[in-house]
Amino acid sequence: MISSIVNTLVVLAALIPAYKNPKLPVEERVNDLLGRMTLEEKVMQLSQSYMERNDNTNNIAKQLDRTPAEIGSMINYGWDASVTNALQKRAMEESRLGIPIIFGYDAIHGFRTEFPLPLAQAASFNTDMARESCKVIAAEGYAGGIDWTFSPMIDIARDARWGRNAEGYGEDPYLTSRFCVAAVEGYQGDDMSKPGHLASCMKHYTGYGASEAGRDYTAVDISRQTLWDTWLQPYIAGVKAGSASVMSAFCTLSGIPASADPYILKEALKKKMNFDGFIVTDWGTTEQLMLQGYASSEKEAAKMALNAGIDMDMCDMVFYRNLKALVESGEVSMADVDDAVRRILRVKFRLGLFEHPYRPKTNPKKDYLQPASLELAEKLASECAVLLKNNAGALPLSKKAKVALIGPLADAAEEYLGCWKAHGFPEDLTSIYAAMSKEFSNVQYEKGCDFEGEDRSGFPKAVKLAGESDVVVLCIGEKAVWTGENKTRASIALPRIQEDLLCELKKTGKPVVVLVGSGRAIDLVRIEPMADALMEIWHLGDREGEAVSGLLCGRYNPSGKLPVTFPYTTGQVPIYYNARNICRRGKWGKYTDGTPLEPKYPFGYGLSYSSFEYSPIELDGLTAKVRVTNTSAVDGKESVLWFITDSYCSRVARPVKELKYFEKRLIKAGTTEVFTFELDKLRDLGFIDGNGERFFEPGEFIIRAGNRELKTEIK
Ligand code: GLC
């Protein structure tokens, strides 16, 4: 009896295709499935289509008609899983092999609960909180029917004119690497097949942030040396962290389109970094190879992209229309197509999509905007703000102060969501005005002016209110739509009307606290002298209002530090701290119009309501220590940033200093914390050459933390 059952089970097991057996290793399932696929089915896996933004269960029939059941991926703009479940059901049940679709979407700082901009999060230097926010994004996105987020965006940005500064983590490769790893870990967890996880997608590969003059989509010229020592650093970290995918960039990179460059795609990423996920293009970049004057036809474009190492083609269906013929003509090898398919299937298996292709019915009340998520959003927002000036302790304010709250950003919740706001809605937010009205006993509001334009008719009322108050809080800055993709600004100064409003308010003689909300570094050179206190508050998401109110009254103590250099003027751009030495000193290399070489505020700058004193750095072997004392009466968090300088390097001239480690901790009033940096010679004192090889060269090094530095010889 038993033997017949066993025999039956053995027979049944043999009938189940290996790729459908979750007990088998992923690679075995991938190879089994690949071996069963026709060329047409393979080409479909390399193709991504998209749903309309208003697709819902009522009009899904149209979407179903429009989309082949065998499509490999779709961009899903919805947040109700019933729509993706319907498409997935067709893929699983009506396609010959039942390969699930992978649904992607741009949830870069929130899916439904919006967290601060990535640039703002970088200012927090709190990667633990950033990781937690990505866990929330993953849980909400999973509930909403996506499997894959096009995040983290890890473009190094050194040009504040570029609108996409907002989406990344600033100018430093190490800081960006740390937040990249935090995001990958937050989205994917230790096993992304578990419910509530998403595949991550590091983007835009690569060099996109070096777009000439900050103009979007333009050419980029980067040497192999800079490619490796700057732009590829976050990808090396993210690949090690197991990121599932990479998105190739729009720009040409030293003459070769990044989305068809075999060196960066195959040599650097897939071979040298040993990346085993897949590469998806950015939107339409295969088709755009023709606009870039690189491909003479769509067919040529498909061939160039696939042969260069692209695995999936985003939304222009160029692979879909051309790859079959290219393989049949031998211009594209089946081996290359198979490698691309293998990479995509590997991620789908690792995501558990074959076992769990569907999502439970979306329940917005349970799945989104949970109290714990909103609390995290507020706490993280409170750590992103950067206090730039606080004369005579203008801040924090007494809750009993008579506050004149003025400015276009004071009651504008829609702006707090920032760019790429996904499914964040202003009605979920409390404005700074509304939040302060709850926390302070006497707040009066006047808008004063709009973000831009010449209408100064609101000035008199604002000035009158200021004159009747104890203190002015002026909220100025950028609209959300001034930042993000295709949002380059030729000047990083705020519109004149905002500065003029400040000037009129200053004339009242009242103390003025200026809050600047932006998605990039702003020219503050005329604003700062008129401010008694000045704070960069970025665009902080769903809980900006509560966080800012808390920062103003001292419920939160500002702890942010700048992740980007704030230039003195647009004319200094691009400007960044980790530049290389110039060949002369003193009078040489200056601007002849009196503009200083130094920025208005440097990378890593930020004040607190506390005051921190750094001890001299001690070095025991390769263990560096510094004692940080909070000499104030206010508990505060401090991020200790460790920089190293290799004073002389014969292999390649290195940056004047490089961030190599940071750690953020609460230091209670009057107490001291010891911060330790365990230096690794190759990792922290070494460098990388233009072939991607790390090296260490003995010699003089300078180690810096806070206002302290230690010069030492390291053998
Ligand atoms: C856009 C962006 C990219 C985004 C993609 C899908 O053009 O460049 O960041 O992930 O298209 O929306």
Side-chain angles (χ1 to χ4, degrees):
M1 174 66 171
I2 292 175
S3 62
S4 64
I5 292 170
V6 168
N7 289 339
T8 312
L9 287 175
V10 167
V11 167
L12 282 176
L15 292 177
I16 301 172
Y19 76 93
K20 289 192 175 182
N21 180 349
K23 290 188 173 26
L24 292 178
V26 164
E27 292 313 304
E28 204 172 313
R29 300 178 73 183
V30 167
N31 289 330
D32 175 66
L33 178 50
L34 189 64
R36 298 169 186 267
M37 294 169 76
T38 64
L39 175 56
E40 289 82 354
E41 288 163 336
K42 291 176 182 176
V43 171
M44 287 309 294
Q45 283 303 306
L46 310 187
S47 303
Q48 180 184 70
S49 181
Y50 59 95
M51 294 156 68
E52 297 304 334
R53 288 182 186 276
N54 59 356
D55 272 348
N56 54 55
T57 39
N58 305 324
N59 69 9
I60 189 64
K62 242 184 3 177
Q63 180 57 256
L64 289 169
D65 291 345
R66 201 168 48 226
T67 312
E70 296 77 10
I71 192 79
S73 173
M74 294 190 77
I75 297 183
N76 167 30
Y77 292 108
W79 72 91
D80 183 325
S82 59
V83 177
T84 45
N85 283 345
L87 283 165
Q88 196 70 290
K89 185 170 187 307
R90 199 172 53 145
M92 297 304 286
E93 296 175 3
E94 293 177 27
S95 72
R96 186 174 72 88
L97 294 165
I99 303 174
I101 297 167
I102 181 169
F103 290 98
Y105 180 63
D106 294 286
I108 74 162
H109 58 97
F111 182 78
R112 182 84 176 75
T113 302
E114 292 308 308
F115 292 93
L117 287 174
L119 184 62
Q121 293 190 34
S124 75
F125 282 79
N126 193 327
T127 50
D128 292 340
M129 268 198 192
R131 183 181 303 105
E132 292 308 307
S133 76
C134 291
K135 285 180 184 173
V136 170
I137 295 170
E140 291 192 347
Y142 184 89
I146 66 169
D147 314 296
W148 174 34
T149 179
F150 304 134
S151 171
M153 190 277 213
I154 52 176
D155 292 306
I156 305 291
R158 296 167 159 173
D159 188 326
R161 293 169 293 185
W162 190 48
R164 305 197 78 166
N165 274 261
E167 303 173 47
Y169 299 99
E171 70 191 42
D172 182 74
Y174 176 76
L175 178 60
T176 300
S177 301
R178 284 277 299 272
F179 275 90
C180 172
V181 170
V184 170
E185 292 170 348
Y187 292 135
Q188 298 186 182
D190 54 10
D191 173 1
M192 62 181 177
S193 69
K194 289 176 185 162
H197 293 95
L198 299 179
S200 64
C201 181
M202 302 186 288
K203 70 185 186 182
H204 305 79
Y205 189 74
T206 185
Y208 184 27
S211 296
E212 273 175 1
R215 286 193 300 274
D216 216 339
Y217 315 113
T218 59
V220 162
D221 246 318
I222 296 178
S223 68
R224 283 284 164 85
Q225 178 59 47
T226 307
L227 185 69
W228 281 102
D229 70 33
T230 302
W231 303 89
L232 296 187
Q233 287 300 303
Y235 289 93
I236 294 170
V239 167
K240 278 194 192 118
S243 181
S245 67
V246 165
M247 184 186 293
S248 65
F250 287 122
C251 54
T252 53
L253 195 58
S254 308
I256 311 291
S259 293
D261 180 344
Y263 176 75
I264 61 168
L265 298 171
K266 274 187 172 173
E267 293 312 309
L269 182 61
K270 290 182 173 179
K271 288 183 185 151
K272 196 126 189 92
M273 292 184 220
N274 198 22
F275 175 61
D276 73 352
F278 68 89
I279 304 173
V280 62
T281 69
D282 200 339
W283 193 295
T285 63
T286 307
E287 192 169 43
Q288 287 159 14
L289 294 177
M290 292 187 280
L291 295 177
Q292 285 169 311
Y294 195 64
S296 57
S297 69
E298 188 181 86
K299 188 176 175 187
E300 184 74 7
K303 179 176 75 173
M304 292 165 134
L306 195 288
N307 288 343
I310 293 292
D311 302 307
M312 184 186 283
D313 174 38
M314 182 183 282
C315 295
D316 57 23
M317 300 303 271
V318 169
F319 278 11
Y320 172 64
R321 290 191 293 271
N322 296 279
L323 272 188
K324 181 169 182 295
L326 284 164
V327 170
E328 286 162 350
S329 67
E331 294 170 85
V332 166
S333 74
M334 182 66 92
D336 279 347
V337 167
D338 283 352
D339 180 60
V341 176
R342 185 174 281 116
R343 290 169 177 273
I344 292 164
L345 294 180
R346 181 178 294 142
V347 171
K348 290 185 175 182
F349 279 116
R350 285 175 178 169
L351 268 170
L353 288 182
F354 286 79
E355 282 69 50
H356 312 289
Y358 308 110
R359 294 292 139 76
K361 181 171 171 28
T362 305
N363 173 354
K365 290 206 180 326
K366 176 181 71 61
D367 296 327
Y368 303 137
L369 297 169
Q370 294 304 291
S373 306
L374 291 165
E375 191 185 326
L376 174 65
E378 182 174 330
K379 289 271 187 301
L380 179 50
S382 76
E383 295 205 16
C384 296
V386 183
L387 181 61
L388 300 170
K389 179 180 182 182
N390 190 20
N391 273 2
L395 285 177
L397 303 175
S398 157
K399 288 185 179 181
K400 295 187 173 49
K402 204 173 170 191
V403 180
L405 179 66
I406 296 168
L409 207 64
D411 193 23
E414 66 281 4
E415 310 306 342
Y416 308 164
L417 291 167
C419 57
W420 295 100
K421 65 183 179 182
H423 305 300
F425 298 103
E427 48 270 28
D428 300 328
L429 277 69
T430 306
S431 73
I432 294 170
Y433 175 36
M436 287 184 72
S437 301
K438 287 182 196 150
E439 190 147 25
F440 287 76
S441 56
N442 187 339
V443 178
Q444 305 292 317
Y445 164 68
E446 280 295 340
K447 187 174 181 181
C449 71
D450 205 341
F451 286 90
E452 57 187 342
E454 293 308 322
D455 177 4
R456 289 168 168 74
S457 59
F459 279 27
K461 275 182 140 181
V463 169
K464 182 173 181 300
L465 176 64
E468 296 159 355
S469 305
D470 301 332
V471 61
V472 177
V473 174
L474 175 65
C475 300
I476 52 176
E478 293 191 303
K479 290 175 73 67
V481 292
W482 294 358
T483 67
E485 181 178 353
N486 200 21
K487 300 294 173 61
T488 298
R489 293 177 72 82
S491 166
I492 59 169
L494 293 179
R496 183 63 189 266
I497 193 165
Q498 295 190 40
E499 294 188 5
D500 289 353
L501 175 59
L502 170 54
C503 189
E504 292 309 309
L505 295 170
K506 190 63 196 165
K507 288 175 188 167
T508 64
K510 299 291 182 178
V512 181
V513 172
V514 180
L515 306 180
V516 178
S518 65
R520 56 165 50 89
I522 295 292
D523 170 354
L524 298 172
V525 79
R526 290 164 304 285
I527 290 171
E528 179 273 319
M530 294 189 273
D532 294 274
L534 177 60
M535 195 182 288
E536 169 61 53
I537 59 168
W538 317 105
H539 292 141
L540 294 174
D542 276 10
R543 282 294 172 92
E544 169 160 336
E546 294 84 348
V548 168
S549 178
L551 286 160
L552 290 171
C553 72
R555 174 163 54 90
Y556 295 119
N557 183 352
S559 61
K561 293 178 184 283
L562 294 179
V564 283
T565 300
F566 270 49
Y568 195 84
T569 171
T570 308
Q572 284 186 331
V573 170
I575 183 171
Y576 45 97
Y577 89 90
N578 47 353
R580 287 183 160 84
N581 279 305
I582 67 170
C583 63
R584 293 190 172 180
R585 300 288 185 273
K587 66 177 182 176
W588 304 99
K590 292 194 182 300
Y591 291 103
T592 57
D593 62 1
T595 302
L597 286 177
E598 296 70 32
K600 180 66 186 162
Y601 295 108
F603 173 88
Y605 181 84
L607 304 174
S608 164
Y609 296 150
S610 306
S611 47
F612 299 106
E613 210 165 275
Y614 282 63
S615 74
I617 295 170
E618 298 159 27
L619 184 65
D620 175 9
L622 290 175
T623 302
K625 285 185 191 294
V626 70
R627 286 169 174 70
V628 182
T629 302
N630 180 347
T631 56
S632 76
V634 182
D635 294 352
K637 287 193 172 185
E638 172 68 348
S639 297
V640 171
L641 279 54
W642 291 91
F643 296 89
I644 69 104
T645 296
D646 182 350
S647 306
Y648 311 95
C649 178
S650 64
R651 286 276 287 271
V652 60
R654 292 178 57 173
V656 292
K657 65 178 185 178
E658 300 161 48
L659 180 67
K660 288 296 181 184
Y661 184 58
F662 61 83
E663 184 186 352
K664 184 171 196 177
R665 239 187 271 164
L666 174 67
I667 307 179
K668 287 201 167 296
T671 69
T672 297
E673 289 283 330
V674 180
F675 288 79
T676 302
F677 177 18
E678 299 289 354
L679 287 141
D680 175 278
K681 267 189 192 174
L682 195 56
R683 182 194 64 202
D684 303 314
L685 299 170
F687 204 57
I688 194 165
D689 68 14
N691 298 313
E693 299 297 331
R694 290 203 73 81
F695 65 89
F696 166 72
E697 187 176 288
E700 179 190 281
F701 287 87
I702 302 170
I703 301 168
R704 291 185 174 91
N707 60 348
R708 300 290 188 169
E709 65 176 56
L710 173 74
K711 192 175 284 187
T712 181
E713 282 292 321
I714 303 225
K715 297 273 174 275

